Each structure stands twice: as structure tokens, then as C-alpha cells.
Coordinates of all heavy atoms in Angstrom, one line a residue:
A22 N 41.2 -38.9 7.2 CA 40.2 -40.0 6.8 C 39.4 -39.4 5.6 O 39.0 -38.2 5.7 CB 39.3 -40.4 7.9
R23 N 39.1 -40.2 4.6 CA 38.2 -39.8 3.5 C 37.0 -40.7 3.6 O 37.1 -41.9 3.7 CB 38.9 -39.9 2.2 CG 40.0 -38.9 1.9 CD 40.8 -39.2 0.7 NE 40.0 -39.3 -0.5 CZ 40.3 -39.9 -1.6 NH1 41.6 -40.5 -1.7 NH2 39.5 -40.0 -2.7
H24 N 35.8 -40.1 3.4 CA 34.6 -40.9 3.5 C 34.0 -41.0 2.1 O 33.9 -40.0 1.4 CB 33.6 -40.3 4.4 CG 34.0 -40.4 5.9 ND1 33.7 -41.4 6.7 CD2 34.7 -39.5 6.6 CE1 34.2 -41.2 7.9 NE2 34.8 -40.1 7.9
L25 N 33.7 -42.2 1.6 CA 33.2 -42.4 0.3 C 31.8 -43.1 0.4 O 31.5 -43.9 1.3 CB 34.1 -43.4 -0.5 CG 35.6 -42.9 -0.5 CD1 36.4 -44.0 -1.1 CD2 35.8 -41.6 -1.2
S26 N 31.0 -42.8 -0.6 CA 29.7 -43.5 -0.8 C 29.8 -44.4 -2.0 O 30.4 -44.1 -3.0 CB 28.5 -42.5 -1.0 OG 28.4 -41.7 0.2
M27 N 29.1 -45.6 -1.9 CA 29.1 -46.5 -2.9 C 27.7 -46.8 -3.4 O 26.8 -47.0 -2.6 CB 29.7 -47.9 -2.5 CG 31.2 -47.7 -1.9 SD 31.9 -49.3 -1.5 CE 30.8 -50.0 -0.3
K28 N 27.5 -46.8 -4.7 CA 26.3 -47.1 -5.4 C 26.4 -48.5 -5.9 O 26.8 -48.7 -7.1 CB 26.0 -46.0 -6.5 CG 24.7 -46.2 -7.2 CD 24.6 -45.1 -8.3 CE 23.4 -45.3 -9.2 NZ 23.4 -44.3 -10.3
V29 N 25.9 -49.4 -5.1 CA 26.2 -50.9 -5.4 C 25.0 -51.4 -6.3 O 23.8 -51.3 -5.8 CB 26.4 -51.7 -4.2 CG1 26.6 -53.1 -4.5 CG2 27.6 -51.1 -3.4
G30 N 25.3 -51.9 -7.4 CA 24.3 -52.4 -8.3 C 24.8 -52.3 -9.7 O 26.0 -52.1 -10.0
R31 N 23.9 -52.5 -10.7 CA 24.3 -52.4 -12.1 C 23.1 -51.8 -12.9 O 21.9 -51.8 -12.5 CB 24.6 -53.7 -12.7 CG 23.5 -54.7 -12.7 CD 23.9 -56.0 -13.5 NE 22.8 -57.0 -13.5 CZ 21.8 -57.0 -14.4 NH1 21.7 -56.1 -15.4 NH2 20.9 -58.0 -14.3
L32 N 23.4 -51.3 -14.1 CA 22.4 -50.9 -15.0 C 21.7 -52.1 -15.6 O 22.4 -53.2 -15.8 CB 23.0 -50.1 -16.2 CG 23.6 -48.7 -15.8 CD1 24.0 -48.0 -17.1 CD2 22.6 -47.8 -15.1
A33 N 20.5 -52.0 -15.9 CA 19.8 -53.1 -16.5 C 20.4 -53.5 -17.9 O 20.5 -54.7 -18.2 CB 18.3 -52.8 -16.7
E34 N 20.9 -52.5 -18.6 CA 21.5 -52.7 -19.9 C 22.8 -51.9 -19.9 O 22.8 -50.6 -19.7 CB 20.6 -52.3 -21.0 CG 19.4 -53.2 -21.1 CD 18.5 -52.8 -22.3 OE1 18.5 -51.6 -22.7 OE2 17.7 -53.6 -22.8
S35 N 23.9 -52.5 -20.2 CA 25.2 -51.7 -20.4 C 25.2 -51.0 -21.7 O 25.9 -49.9 -21.8 CB 26.4 -52.7 -20.3 OG 26.5 -53.3 -19.0
W36 N 24.6 -51.5 -22.7 CA 24.6 -50.9 -24.0 C 23.2 -50.4 -24.3 O 22.3 -51.3 -24.6 CB 25.1 -51.8 -25.1 CG 25.2 -51.4 -26.5 CD1 24.8 -50.2 -27.0 CD2 25.6 -52.2 -27.6 NE1 25.0 -50.2 -28.4 CE2 25.5 -51.3 -28.8 CE3 26.1 -53.5 -27.7 CZ2 25.9 -51.8 -30.0 CZ3 26.5 -53.9 -29.0 CH2 26.4 -53.1 -30.1
T37 N 22.9 -49.1 -24.3 CA 21.6 -48.6 -24.6 C 21.7 -47.6 -25.8 O 22.5 -46.7 -25.8 CB 21.1 -47.8 -23.4 OG1 21.0 -48.7 -22.3 CG2 19.6 -47.3 -23.7
G38 N 21.0 -47.8 -26.9 CA 21.0 -47.0 -28.0 C 22.4 -46.9 -28.6 O 23.0 -48.0 -28.8
N39 N 23.0 -45.8 -28.7 CA 24.4 -45.6 -29.2 C 25.3 -45.2 -28.1 O 26.3 -44.5 -28.2 CB 24.5 -44.6 -30.3 CG 24.1 -43.2 -29.9 OD1 23.4 -43.0 -28.9 ND2 24.6 -42.2 -30.6
C40 N 25.0 -45.8 -26.9 CA 25.9 -45.5 -25.7 C 26.2 -46.8 -25.0 O 25.4 -47.6 -24.7 CB 25.1 -44.6 -24.8 SG 25.9 -44.3 -23.2
L41 N 27.5 -46.9 -24.6 CA 28.0 -48.0 -23.8 C 28.4 -47.4 -22.5 O 29.2 -46.5 -22.4 CB 29.2 -48.7 -24.5 CG 29.9 -49.8 -23.7 CD1 29.0 -51.0 -23.4 CD2 31.2 -50.2 -24.3
A42 N 27.8 -47.9 -21.4 CA 28.2 -47.5 -20.0 C 29.4 -48.4 -19.6 O 29.4 -49.6 -19.7 CB 27.1 -47.6 -19.0
M43 N 30.4 -47.8 -18.9 CA 31.6 -48.5 -18.5 C 31.9 -48.0 -17.1 O 31.6 -46.9 -16.7 CB 32.7 -48.2 -19.4 CG 32.6 -48.8 -20.8 SD 32.8 -50.6 -20.8 CE 34.6 -50.7 -20.9
G44 N 32.7 -48.8 -16.3 CA 33.1 -48.4 -15.0 C 32.0 -48.2 -14.0 O 31.0 -48.9 -14.1
L45 N 32.1 -47.2 -13.2 CA 31.1 -46.9 -12.2 C 29.8 -46.5 -12.8 O 28.7 -46.7 -12.1 CB 31.6 -45.8 -11.2 CG 32.9 -46.1 -10.4 CD1 33.2 -44.9 -9.5 CD2 32.7 -47.4 -9.6
A46 N 29.8 -46.0 -14.0 CA 28.5 -45.6 -14.6 C 27.7 -46.9 -15.0 O 26.5 -46.9 -15.1 CB 28.8 -44.8 -15.9
Q47 N 28.4 -48.0 -15.3 CA 27.9 -49.2 -15.7 C 27.3 -50.0 -14.5 O 26.3 -50.6 -14.5 CB 28.9 -50.1 -16.4 CG 28.5 -51.4 -16.8 CD 29.7 -52.2 -17.4 OE1 30.8 -51.9 -17.1 NE2 29.4 -53.3 -18.1
G48 N 28.1 -49.9 -13.4 CA 27.7 -50.7 -12.2 C 28.9 -50.8 -11.2 O 30.0 -50.5 -11.6
F49 N 28.6 -51.2 -10.0 CA 29.6 -51.4 -9.0 C 29.3 -52.5 -8.0 O 28.2 -52.5 -7.5 CB 29.9 -50.1 -8.3 CG 31.0 -50.2 -7.3 CD1 32.3 -50.2 -7.7 CD2 30.7 -50.1 -5.9 CE1 33.3 -50.3 -6.7 CE2 31.7 -50.2 -5.0 CZ 33.1 -50.3 -5.4
I50 N 30.2 -53.4 -7.8 CA 30.1 -54.4 -6.8 C 31.2 -54.1 -5.8 O 32.4 -53.9 -6.3 CB 30.2 -55.8 -7.4 CG1 29.1 -56.0 -8.4 CG2 30.0 -56.9 -6.3 CD1 29.2 -57.4 -9.2
E51 N 31.0 -54.1 -4.6 CA 32.0 -53.8 -3.6 C 33.3 -54.5 -3.9 O 33.3 -55.5 -4.5 CB 31.5 -54.1 -2.2 CG 31.3 -55.6 -1.9 CD 31.1 -55.8 -0.4 OE1 30.0 -55.6 0.1 OE2 32.1 -56.2 0.2
P52 N 34.4 -53.9 -3.5 CA 35.7 -54.3 -3.9 C 36.3 -55.5 -3.3 O 37.5 -55.7 -3.3 CB 36.6 -53.1 -3.6 CG 36.0 -52.4 -2.5 CD 34.5 -52.6 -2.7
L53 N 35.5 -56.4 -2.7 CA 36.0 -57.5 -1.9 C 36.9 -58.5 -2.8 O 37.9 -59.0 -2.3 CB 34.8 -58.3 -1.4 CG 35.1 -59.5 -0.5 CD1 35.9 -59.1 0.7 CD2 33.9 -60.2 -0.1
E54 N 36.5 -58.7 -4.1 CA 37.3 -59.5 -4.9 C 38.0 -58.8 -6.0 O 38.4 -59.3 -7.0 CB 36.3 -60.6 -5.6 CG 35.9 -61.7 -4.6 CD 37.0 -62.6 -4.2 OE1 37.9 -62.8 -5.0 OE2 36.8 -63.3 -3.2
A55 N 38.1 -57.4 -5.9 CA 38.8 -56.6 -6.8 C 38.4 -56.8 -8.3 O 39.3 -57.0 -9.2 CB 40.3 -56.8 -6.7
T56 N 37.1 -56.8 -8.5 CA 36.6 -57.1 -9.9 C 36.3 -55.9 -10.7 O 35.9 -56.0 -11.9 CB 35.3 -57.9 -9.7 OG1 34.4 -57.3 -8.8 CG2 35.7 -59.3 -9.2
A57 N 36.5 -54.7 -10.2 CA 36.0 -53.5 -10.9 C 36.7 -53.4 -12.3 O 36.0 -53.2 -13.3 CB 36.3 -52.2 -10.1
L58 N 38.0 -53.5 -12.4 CA 38.7 -53.3 -13.7 C 38.6 -54.6 -14.5 O 38.6 -54.5 -15.7 CB 40.2 -53.0 -13.4 CG 40.5 -51.7 -12.8 CD1 42.0 -51.4 -12.8 CD2 39.7 -50.5 -13.4
H59 N 38.4 -55.7 -13.8 CA 38.1 -57.0 -14.5 C 36.9 -56.8 -15.4 O 36.8 -57.2 -16.6 CB 37.9 -58.1 -13.5 CG 37.5 -59.4 -14.1 ND1 38.2 -60.5 -14.0 CD2 36.3 -59.8 -14.7 CE1 37.6 -61.5 -14.5 NE2 36.5 -61.1 -15.0
I60 N 35.8 -56.2 -14.8 CA 34.6 -56.0 -15.6 C 34.8 -55.0 -16.7 O 34.2 -55.1 -17.8 CB 33.5 -55.5 -14.6 CG1 33.1 -56.7 -13.6 CG2 32.2 -55.1 -15.4 CD1 32.1 -56.3 -12.6
V61 N 35.5 -53.9 -16.5 CA 35.8 -52.9 -17.5 C 36.5 -53.6 -18.7 O 36.0 -53.4 -19.9 CB 36.7 -51.8 -17.0 CG1 37.2 -50.9 -18.1 CG2 35.9 -51.0 -16.0

């Protein structure tokens, strides 16, 4: 068994200055609807 922690939420802004956050750095909603890559 592998145990994982989830940081559920999002950044207030995905694009800050000259940086774009993507994937888990941008935010995460639990995988119930398999939306992680959809958002990317």
C-alpha cells in the first residue's frame, strides 16, 4: 500500500508576474471526475 497526501485547493492566481503555475502547483481537486489533466 502507498499512502498519499492531497493538497486540495487552488492558487488565487495561476499567472503571477512572469510565472505560470500548472498541474499540482496550480491547484488540485480530488480525482472524482478525472479533471487534473483537463485543467492542465
Side-chain angles (χ1 to χ4, degrees):
R23 291 170 56 196
H24 292 271
L25 309 173
S26 294
M27 302 187 301
K28 183 181 176 183
V29 179
R31 67 172 175 87
L32 294 184
E34 296 179 333
S35 293
W36 179 359
T37 304
N39 64 336
C40 172
L41 174 67
M43 294 283 279
L45 299 180
Q47 177 189 20
F49 181 71
I50 303 175
E51 64 168 81
L53 184 60
E54 289 286 339
T56 52
L58 297 189
H59 174 118
I60 294 175
V61 169

